[in-house]
Amino acid sequence: VGASKPRFDFVTDVAGDSGPERVLIHERDVVVFGKGFREGTSYAFITAGVASPKDILDATARDLTGDGKAEIILRAVLHAKASKELGGDTVDRHALFVYSVQGDKLVRIFAAETGRALGKDQVLGAVAFEPDKRGYAIELRPARAVGWNEKTYPFPPDTTTAGGLEPLLLPWGDQATRRYRFNGSAFTLE
């Protein structure tokens, strides 16, 4: 890790006994360790699928599954090259990632596109954590567009997972919401 400090560093109960673990976001890695995790002798990590550490915009934790252990929630941006027809600029896909400690591993249990931008034009989605029978359901909702409208939006609407992300809901689309429930290992579409 060298001399650089973690960008995010917090303590919460994500695994093991009832004691807290330390969660670090260092470079692109999410790292979990603590006295009650793996008997305090090791750690777990997963590398977020972003190009650069600065692409991780925010990190927090919350018990979404109702098991008494917090899940790690990242907001990030993914960059892709636009087609020649779109000028070859960079398309920024804003995303929400949810990670959970399962056994002694850190795994991604949900990911969704929450926004898309190309230059000054953008479409924004919304995410809500809705109380469920146990824990929370994750609900994706359309929000608003800036610069684009239904006729000028240059991308086909995604209806299924694209690039490992649940689809962005468009303000002019057919779906008002997409709701995901935890099935014991991941959040899946109802």
Side-chain angles (χ1 to χ4, degrees), residues 15 19 24 33 37 71 75 77 87 104 130 135 139 146 169:
L24 302 177
F33 61 95
F37 180 66
E71 280 64 49
R75 284 186 322 105
V77 62
D104 60 355
E130 295 287 335
E139 195 169 278
V146 177
L169 296 183

Side-chain angles (χ1 to χ4, degrees), residues 75 97 105:
R75 284 186 322 105
F97 296 98
K105 294 181 181 177

Side-chain angles (χ1 to χ4, degrees), residues 26-46:
H26 197 282
E27 298 290 324
R28 299 178 317 134
D29 295 329
V30 180
V31 183
V32 172
F33 61 95
K35 291 179 183 177
F37 180 66
R38 292 185 171 181
E39 299 176 1
T41 62
S42 189
Y43 60 91
F45 82 96
I46 192 167

Side-chain angles (χ1 to χ4, degrees), residues 74-76 93-97 110-116 123-127 140-141 143-144 165-169:
L74 300 184
R75 284 186 322 105
R93 296 176 73 198
H94 293 264
L96 176 82
F97 296 98
F110 184 75
E113 185 174 6
T114 59
R116 189 176 293 182
V123 171
L124 305 170
V127 177
L140 301 179
R141 303 172 182 164
R144 64 188 177 102
L165 303 175
E166 293 298 320
L168 172 65
L169 296 183

Side-chain angles (χ1 to χ4, degrees), residues 2-182:
S4 64
K5 295 185 177 188
R7 292 200 51 234
F8 302 94
D9 183 348
F10 53 93
V11 175
T12 189
D13 185 13
V14 296
D17 62 13
S18 61
E21 286 74 38
R22 190 164 173 194
V23 178
L24 302 177
I25 313 295
H26 197 282
E27 298 290 324
R28 299 178 317 134
D29 295 329
V30 180
V31 183
V32 172
F33 61 95
K35 291 179 183 177
F37 180 66
R38 292 185 171 181
E39 299 176 1
T41 62
S42 189
Y43 60 91
F45 82 96
I46 192 167
T47 301
V50 295
S52 166
K54 69 178 186 226
D55 293 334
I56 298 174
L57 306 175
D58 188 40
T60 189
R62 182 177 189 173
D63 180 9
L64 298 177
T65 63
D67 66 355
K69 305 295 179 189
E71 280 64 49
I72 301 163
I73 303 166
L74 300 184
R75 284 186 322 105
V77 62
L78 308 172
H79 308 287
K81 191 84 165 160
S83 67
K84 289 180 184 177
E85 293 82 25
L86 296 176
D89 291 336
T90 299
V91 177
D92 292 330
R93 296 176 73 198
H94 293 264
L96 176 82
F97 296 98
V98 180
Y99 300 94
S100 177
V101 176
Q102 294 182 359
D104 60 355
K105 294 181 181 177
L106 195 54
V107 297
R108 188 174 86 180
I109 61 171
F110 184 75
E113 185 174 6
T114 59
R116 189 176 293 182
L118 180 62
K120 63 180 179 27
D121 299 324
Q122 60 183 328
V123 171
L124 305 170
V127 177
F129 298 114
E130 295 287 335
D132 205 10
K133 296 172 190 167
R134 182 174 183 198
Y136 292 86
I138 300 174
E139 195 169 278
L140 301 179
R141 303 172 182 164
R144 64 188 177 102
V146 177
W148 281 318
N149 60 43
E150 184 175 7
K151 292 181 177 158
T152 61
Y153 185 66
F155 305 100
D158 295 323
T159 56
T160 60
T161 303
L165 303 175
E166 293 298 320
L168 172 65
L169 296 183
L170 303 172
W172 47 81
D174 295 341
Q175 289 188 308
T177 62
R178 285 176 68 102
R179 189 176 176 93
Y180 301 83
R181 279 205 167 106
F182 188 67

